[in-house]
Amino acid sequence: MQSANMLLKKIIRSSVLPFAAQHGMKKDLFPLSRTLSLSLCLKQDNSCKPSEKIDLDAWKKVMKSGLQEVVSETVSDRKALSALAAAREMLEMWRLAGRSVPENISEEQLKTFMECPSKSSQKKYLKYLYLKEIYKKNDQKKMDEKRERRLETQERASETDESKKTSFICLWANCMDRAYSWRVAQSMIFGQPLVFDMSYEKDMSVREVANTVRQIVLSEGCNRRSVDPFHIHFCNLKDDSLYHKEFIKHYRQAWGKLLITVTDQCYTEVFPKDKLIYLTADSPKVMKTFDHDKIYIVGSMVDKSIKTGVSLARAKRLGLETAALPLDKYLLWNAGAKNLTLDQMMHILLTLKDTGDWKKALEFVPKRKYCGFVNKPVHELKKTLNLINMLKLGKRQEEVRKQFVKNYSKKLTEK
Amino acid sequence: IQPPEKPLQDEEWNRLREKFKSPEIFEKVMFNSMVRCNSPIDVAKSLLTHVAKSNGDVAYNLLVKYLALCVQQGQTSEIRDVYDIMKTRFRILESGAYNLIIRGLSNSDQWRMALTLLEEVKKIMIPSRTNYESCIKAASRHQEMNLAFELYHEMLAKDFIPTLDVLQALFDFSRGMKGAQLQKELFGILLYLRENQIYPHKTFMRSIKLWFESIPGGNWRGHLTNIKDSGQCPVCNHQLEDSDLTEEEYNNLRERIIRDVIHGTDTFRKTSPQEFEAFQTFVENRLPFDIVIDGLNVSHIKPRKMQCENLFDAVNCLAKENARLLVLGRKHMLINSSNWKREIMKEMQNKADFFFAENISEDDAFLLYATLRSGKHCKFVTRDFLRDHKACLSDSLTRHLFRKWQRGHQISKKRVLSVFFQQPAFRYDCVVQTTGDTWHIPYKDIFEEKYSYQVPRKWLCIQQKQ
């Protein structure tokens, strides 16, 4: 019996230690030595009373034991905490408590965090960083998987090693780039100008500016790849502005080699005023056709806090003609604001330029924002909508819909 | 998942965990449901013991959840134990744990400990409002009113808006206590309500009444009443303050409207400088108006009728007694169309002054300007709540002024009758007010829904009998 007991003890001893070390605690919180001491006392606890009544406060003993060493250290350390370090520690505690807080945070981000004016803005910022971190991690994971797969296929390919004979050397990307550049260079001489108005820096937060630049980079990309590109102008772009800094962050060295025109002048100084049309969702005028002789201006602005009339005010001040996309005329609008992202605008304008087909162009409006295209006269649509609602919904809701459709058709007839 | 009713052995916990679909988060989910079901504390303990035994450690988030359970059940000694453990185990605690501990301890006889914890929190961060409120309640519950008010002022200094709950506690626990200082503090709270246009609810009002009546030697008597439309209190016959702004407030409001609402960040957003100037000279030449009408808003009152007919009715109805009218509209109203008949428009222009803004300008801003420029007697007609314009004002003080002025000067149609009721029946101002030996406090019934644009109709009248 005794020997059996001894054996059991041995097993416990040998099994508990690696188990605790493995599962136990984060390395940075707990030095390894403490883990050992903890589990030792735990094991004694375990062996002296094998399952009769549960000792409910055993966890306290576990938590308290082996902590004496740390106590002295914490007291001396607390005084030396700088504000930044304290904030960092606070974040760590929040993370432990299960809030959405990023694991790693840079000095700069920590400073932005501390400059947040309110608790809710702090929370929002942390969540933003947290999600960013998660996306980054997932991307990294996918990349790694991809690399592995590629290596595998390469190995297999090298095993068989059949060099196919083709008349072209595989230089796709490079060639394409050159072809695209040639086209854009052509458009810089002969093409239709498209202006991005970079004068909204004051109306935006830092993050909104970053988003704007991202959207412009995307639209520049799709312009470059199109059959007949625009000649893009960045007007009102000052050196050392936030826009400029963000552009350099995105393009790096390529910023100097981009085939676009960048100027700190206003578009009214570059182009004749009567040729300019400012595109803004607030405009009372609706665009009917795409005019190849006009110069369209797009405001480079992302407004998360819906500031109505900012770009319309700009155009009014300069006395420019304005226009809005005929979204209501062609789409049965569902939800969301009528202002589109800059890359969506670019897609739409490019398609219009090439085909003049509104339906094709407005395919680039996000699907969630509209129910479908308006293909029949409005009164017929109204009838079917009413019928559907009558079948689907209660009477009260039907009334609401009726009102909606009525307003809708009114809006259409007004324009 | 349903938490067990009795403490479990390790094996039993293991079995439960294996049955659970995602074992990694088993403890977390289990603790959450324990808090939700208010499980016996022993069950939680046994789970903690199980976790401690198998991992050699208990994660911070589990400790916090356990703490939440202890606070929920008022287990003071456990709260202290957990706090001690956390304190030795971690260098600092985060706000959630502090919130729980302070709340838990302030409800117990160890409430002084909550105060020391509050001091501790102050060292590492700004304490939350609930931290302060727990401590204030604890202090006032033990009749340490000086301490409670000290904390209260500290909280106000940090720009926290106190909940009515804590204010009520201050009144409740001061009942029957003597002291001029204390009285001054509580009057201070009432003035705070006045300044911020906060209305107490029924139970809070009752606390105020009881406190007044309990002041030793004060001879205060409270009555519930409804104030007459004339602004006279039926109980003490006292005339309430009128709703007019003072000269200074009025000028201040006018300037802020021009600066924040009409100009804002860019004058071109709502109008244009030329147009605004033209409007200003137009108004200056024809001052003062008695009623300013938002033409487009009024023209939509009855959807069945033609829009210009609606406006015509309104103008006719208001044009009595030689009142000088100004109608604001947009240029598109001048174009002969199915809704806007030229002859009717012509006829109306004989009865009232018209100003037509550009079609893309905002006429509401002009409405506010014209009314404020005409003077205190001038009223305006619109069904719009003007919330977006109020939101343009940058500080809360001016927004309060705007609301007060709006209450006194906006006419909106009440029923579908073609008669305009003077909706601001209030010739008196609906805020907490005092004359020294009387207090009048508007309150809201809890059951009665109150929108921000409505003001309560019920009052508490308190007067001191000599």
Side-chain angles (χ1 to χ4, degrees):
Chain A
M1 194 61 212
Q2 218 178 14
S3 64
N5 223 346
M6 282 294 289
L7 188 71
L8 218 128
K9 261 191 188 177
K10 245 186 198 165
I11 290 167
I12 289 170
R13 187 168 308 182
S14 55
S15 64
V16 161
L17 289 186
F19 184 73
Q22 195 183 45
H23 273 260
M25 35 252 102
K26 303 266 155 25
K27 233 191 284 161
D28 45 344
L29 277 176
F30 250 76
L32 193 67
S33 61
R34 192 144 31 88
T35 327
L36 297 181
S37 67
L38 255 180
S39 45
L40 270 174
C41 92
L42 193 156
K43 179 203 65 209
Q44 279 162 6
D45 224 45
N46 231 355
S47 54
C48 60
K49 31 177 163 162
S51 77
E52 34 199 72
K53 243 190 126 189
I54 314 157
D55 179 10
L56 290 173
D57 286 334
W59 64 276
K60 284 185 197 167
K61 274 179 226 155
V62 173
M63 296 298 290
K64 276 178 189 163
S65 62
L67 285 170
Q68 267 56 39
E69 329 131 48
V70 207
V71 176
S72 57
E73 165 203 337
T74 53
V75 171
S76 61
D77 266 19
R78 191 171 302 144
K79 285 167 198 157
L81 279 180
S82 72
L84 272 179
R88 196 177 279 278
E89 215 160 309
M90 189 57 139
L91 290 187
E92 179 59 26
M93 289 317 284
W94 274 344
R95 206 173 63 78
L96 287 181
R99 293 210 204 177
S100 326
V101 173
E103 211 169 314
N104 303 306
I105 187 165
S106 70
E107 201 88 329
E108 203 179 325
Q109 287 168 336
L110 203 61
K111 267 182 200 146
T112 343
F113 163 74
M114 286 170 73
E115 279 158 14
C116 284
S118 69
K119 279 189 181 177
S120 63
S121 68
Q122 282 186 342
K123 226 186 206 169
K124 257 189 212 161
Y125 183 64
L126 285 178
K127 186 153 187 202
Y128 158 71
L129 291 179
Y130 171 72
L131 288 177
K132 210 166 122 182
E133 196 175 50
I134 285 183
Y135 290 141
K136 215 174 171 182
K137 263 186 201 162
N138 286 346
D139 283 353
Q140 192 62 45
K141 217 167 86 189
K142 268 182 207 159
M143 288 262 277
D144 288 347
E145 276 170 18
K146 213 173 167 185
R147 189 174 304 138
E148 245 166 60
R149 241 180 292 141
R150 205 193 305 141
L151 281 177
E152 243 170 61
T153 48
Q154 258 174 17
E155 255 169 48
R156 224 174 289 151
S158 64
E159 272 167 30
T160 50
D161 197 26
E162 285 173 30
S163 48
K164 287 169 198 160
K165 281 186 182 167
T166 51
S167 52
F168 301 116
I169 313 166
C170 198
L171 270 176
W172 274 104
N174 201 346
C175 287
M176 294 299 276
D177 272 351
R178 235 180 287 165
Y180 290 147
S181 302
W182 171 252
R183 267 194 221 148
V184 183
Q186 288 285 311
S187 82
M188 280 189 77
I189 307 171
F190 304 111
Q192 183 179 5
L194 178 75
V195 177
F196 282 95
D197 178 9
M198 305 284 186
S199 59
Y200 294 100
E201 200 172 299
K202 270 191 274 141
D203 298 300
M204 285 191 281
S205 68
V206 179
R207 253 173 81 190
E208 282 170 336
V209 173
N211 288 348
T212 310
V213 168
R214 214 183 132 75
Q215 289 179 10
I216 293 178
V217 169
L218 284 176
S219 27
E220 191 270 328
C222 86
N223 182 56
R224 197 185 330 166
R225 278 189 291 278
S226 74
V227 189
D228 181 17
F230 284 107
H231 175 195
I232 295 182
H233 285 74
F234 290 170
C235 287
N236 293 324
L237 184 63
K238 307 268 183 301
D239 278 353
D240 301 323
S241 61
L242 215 53
Y243 279 121
H244 191 245
K245 273 178 209 150
E246 284 288 329
F247 271 124
I248 287 181
K249 225 192 240 170
H250 268 280
Y251 281 115
R252 312 234 174 114
Q253 286 89 353
W255 173 245
K257 295 183 217 154
L258 277 185
L259 293 174
I260 53 175
T261 303
V262 178
T263 169
D264 59 352
Q265 282 179 309
C266 187
Y267 27 85
T268 46
E269 294 165 37
V270 183
F271 300 107
K273 247 185 182 179
D274 55 322
K275 289 233 165 186
L276 291 169
I277 295 184
Y278 210 115
L279 293 175
T280 161
D282 295 319
S283 171
K285 282 195 203 100
V286 175
M287 205 167 148
K288 287 207 177 72
T289 51
F290 183 85
D291 192 337
H292 294 269
D293 291 330
K294 295 279 187 198
I295 295 151
Y296 290 97
I297 308 169
V298 180
S300 309
M301 181 186 181
V302 169
D303 53 340
K304 294 201 163 162
S305 58
I306 312 191
K307 304 177 192 80
T308 44
V310 174
S311 53
L312 187 64
R314 253 343 95 108
K316 252 202 231 168
R317 182 194 299 278
L318 297 169
L320 298 179
E321 206 179 312
T322 59
L325 292 181
L327 298 174
D328 272 328
K329 194 173 159 197
Y330 289 97
L331 303 172
L332 202 53
W333 200 259
N334 180 27
K338 298 263 167 71
N339 47 3
L340 304 174
T341 62
L342 300 171
D343 49 316
Q344 284 159 10
M345 272 315 271
M346 190 56 145
H347 275 293
I348 290 172
L349 290 175
L350 279 171
T351 323
L352 278 178
K353 187 159 118 104
D354 291 343
T355 62
D357 183 354
W358 277 109
K359 206 175 158 189
K360 218 169 175 184
L362 294 181
E363 289 279 347
F364 289 103
V365 176
K367 296 272 180 296
R368 65 170 189 283
K369 288 196 174 183
Y370 62 93
C371 306
F373 281 90
V374 178
N375 45 4
K376 289 180 212 162
V378 177
H379 66 269
E380 258 179 67
L381 260 177
K382 193 169 116 187
K383 250 190 235 163
T384 41
L385 238 172
N386 271 352
L387 198 71
I388 293 169
N389 290 331
M390 204 118 78
L391 295 171
K392 247 200 209 159
L393 310 157
K395 222 176 180 185
R396 205 193 62 78
Q397 267 165 318
E398 187 217 324
E399 294 272 298
V400 176
R401 286 296 161 114
K402 237 186 207 166
Q403 197 63 40
F404 169 74
V405 173
K406 197 172 152 196
N407 290 341
Y408 194 83
S409 59
K410 202 185 278 170
K411 240 189 268 165
L412 287 185
T413 46
E414 259 173 36
K415 273 163 192 169
Chain B
I1 48 169
Q2 193 68 29
E5 277 157 23
K6 279 191 201 118
L8 298 186
Q9 298 283 359
D10 286 351
E11 310 89 68
E12 291 168 299
W13 280 121
N14 273 332
R15 227 173 296 138
L16 266 183
R17 176 216 276 275
E18 270 153 31
K19 262 193 259 167
F20 189 62
K21 56 182 180 294
S22 44
E24 328 68 81
I25 56 161
F26 170 74
E27 288 91 4
K28 213 169 111 189
V29 177
M30 182 52 100
F31 261 109
N32 279 345
S33 71
M34 278 182 193
V35 173
R36 199 168 49 242
C37 307
N38 205 7
S39 302
I41 205 159
D42 284 349
V43 182
K45 275 184 183 175
S46 80
L47 180 54
L48 278 180
T49 308
H50 167 69
V51 172
K53 274 183 188 169
S54 50
N55 292 350
D57 185 23
V58 178
Y60 181 76
N61 63 342
L62 293 188
L63 284 179
V64 173
K65 286 184 207 295
Y66 175 65
L67 193 62
L69 191 68
C70 296
V71 170
Q72 199 169 307
Q73 303 182 359
Q75 305 272 3
T76 315
S77 67
E78 278 302 309
I79 295 170
R80 289 207 60 164
D81 274 359
V82 177
Y83 173 64
D84 287 340
I85 286 170
M86 282 179 158
K87 207 62 212 169
T88 46
R89 180 69 179 67
F90 302 98
R91 282 221 282 196
I92 57 166
L93 306 188
E94 46 81 57
S95 45
Y98 273 123
N99 276 350
L100 283 168
I101 300 170
I102 290 179
R103 183 143 59 91
L105 291 178
S106 65
N107 286 328
S108 71
D109 49 355
Q110 303 199 19
W111 62 277
R112 281 196 190 274
M113 169 106 183
L115 293 181
T116 52
L117 271 172
L118 183 67
E119 292 303 314
E120 200 179 305
V121 175
K122 273 187 220 163
K123 273 181 212 152
I124 53 171
M125 58 187 158
I126 301 165
S128 67
R129 177 173 79 171
T130 43
N131 288 161
Y132 274 112
E133 296 202 335
S134 308
C135 291
I136 292 172
K137 274 191 199 161
S140 51
R141 195 176 300 126
H142 295 85
Q143 309 278 307
E144 299 246 5
M145 297 319 288
N146 286 340
L147 183 60
F149 275 105
E150 206 177 291
L151 288 169
Y152 170 72
H153 289 302
E154 206 178 302
M155 180 170 98
L156 287 189
K158 291 206 163 75
D159 278 339
F160 288 121
I161 296 161
T163 55
L164 291 186
D165 214 29
V166 81
L167 298 182
Q168 187 182 350
L170 287 172
F171 275 97
D172 277 340
F173 293 111
S174 309
R175 204 174 294 163
M177 281 170 88
K178 231 178 169 165
Q181 183 58 29
L182 180 69
Q183 227 177 84
K184 213 177 120 199
E185 292 283 8
L186 288 163
F187 285 161
I189 293 181
L190 291 176
L191 292 177
Y192 177 84
L193 296 181
R194 172 189 167 86
E195 246 122 67
N196 295 286
Q197 302 194 21
I198 301 169
Y199 307 115
H201 49 75
K202 205 169 183 177
T203 47
F204 184 14
M205 176 277 297
R206 205 152 275 152
S207 296
I208 296 173
K209 181 168 177 276
L210 288 175
W211 173 73
F212 265 106
E213 288 170 345
S214 77
I215 299 174
N219 268 332
W220 292 93
R221 278 288 154 268
H223 297 275
L224 305 185
T225 176
N226 292 316
I227 302 290
K228 291 177 197 160
D229 280 349
S230 60
Q232 202 183 37
C233 172
V235 181
C236 59
N237 292 327
H238 177 74
Q239 183 69 31
L240 294 193
E241 289 174 35
D242 62 25
S243 64
D244 286 342
L245 305 186
T246 65
E247 203 64 42
E248 197 192 334
E249 285 172 334
Y250 195 83
N251 291 336
N252 192 10
L253 179 65
R254 192 171 65 206
E255 257 143 50
R256 295 300 293 275
I257 292 267
I258 293 175
R259 204 184 75 195
D260 292 346
V261 179
I262 297 176
H263 292 306
T265 54
D266 188 351
T267 317
F268 283 95
R269 278 178 74 174
K270 284 184 177 155
T271 163
S272 67
Q274 296 90 337
E275 191 184 26
F276 184 57
E277 212 172 290
F279 178 67
Q280 269 180 316
T281 42
F282 172 87
V283 171
E284 297 302 326
N285 290 339
R286 288 172 176 78
L287 278 178
F289 298 105
D290 296 317
I291 297 173
V292 183
I293 302 168
D294 182 349
L296 277 176
N297 189 294
V298 167
S299 70
H300 283 94
I301 281 181
K302 281 187 194 163
R304 293 271 165 78
K305 269 191 173 178
M306 220 193 303
Q307 287 175 11
C308 63
E309 258 186 293
N310 275 329
L311 185 59
F312 189 63
D313 288 348
V315 169
N316 276 341
C317 171
L318 292 164
K320 286 164 201 156
E321 297 151 23
N322 286 335
R324 286 181 55 77
L325 302 182
L326 169 64
V327 181
L328 292 169
R330 295 220 181 99
K331 288 212 166 127
H332 72 77
M333 292 158 69
L334 286 173
I335 300 167
N336 203 7
S337 69
S338 59
N339 262 322
W340 299 99
K341 292 276 172 264
R342 188 167 286 155
E343 309 84 65
I344 303 182
M345 291 301 285
K346 276 262 167 61
E347 202 177 332
M348 268 193 280
Q349 287 182 44
N350 296 330
K351 295 190 177 175
D353 282 312
F354 273 72
F355 183 84
F356 296 100
E358 291 295 332
N359 289 341
I360 50 171
S361 295
E362 288 224 18
D363 47 0
D364 287 350
F366 292 150
L367 177 86
L368 295 177
Y369 176 79
T371 318
L372 281 165
R373 189 67 193 82
S374 296
K376 283 180 183 174
H377 71 286
C378 183
K379 304 220 158 49
F380 62 97
V381 185
T382 175
R383 289 183 304 172
D384 200 304
F385 289 116
L386 304 174
R387 290 187 187 115
D388 46 343
H389 302 293
K390 192 184 79 173
C392 289
L393 297 168
S394 49
D395 66 312
S396 64
L397 191 74
T398 324
R399 283 201 286 266
H400 280 314
L401 278 186
F402 181 78
R403 284 283 291 120
K404 186 175 168 184
W405 173 75
Q406 190 188 0
R407 272 204 303 270
H409 293 83
Q410 181 167 10
I411 304 173
S412 64
K413 220 185 60 157
K414 256 189 185 166
R415 279 176 219 115
V416 201
L417 295 166
S418 64
V419 186
F420 280 87
F421 285 99
Q422 299 260 334
Q423 199 210 20
F426 305 116
R427 252 170 270 163
Y428 56 95
D429 192 18
C430 193
V431 287
V432 175
Q433 42 193 284
T434 180
T435 55
D437 59 349
T438 63
W439 280 87
H440 287 91
I441 299 166
Y443 68 93
K444 51 188 181 193
D445 268 322
I446 280 188
F447 308 109
E448 167 192 32
E449 228 176 322
K450 192 192 146 286
Y451 299 99
S452 62
Y453 60 85
Q454 282 178 339
V455 284
R457 311 299 301 264
K458 297 191 171 171
W459 288 75
L460 168 67
C461 161
I462 298 170
Q463 50 178 328
Q464 193 167 28
K465 294 257 163 62
Q466 292 309 326

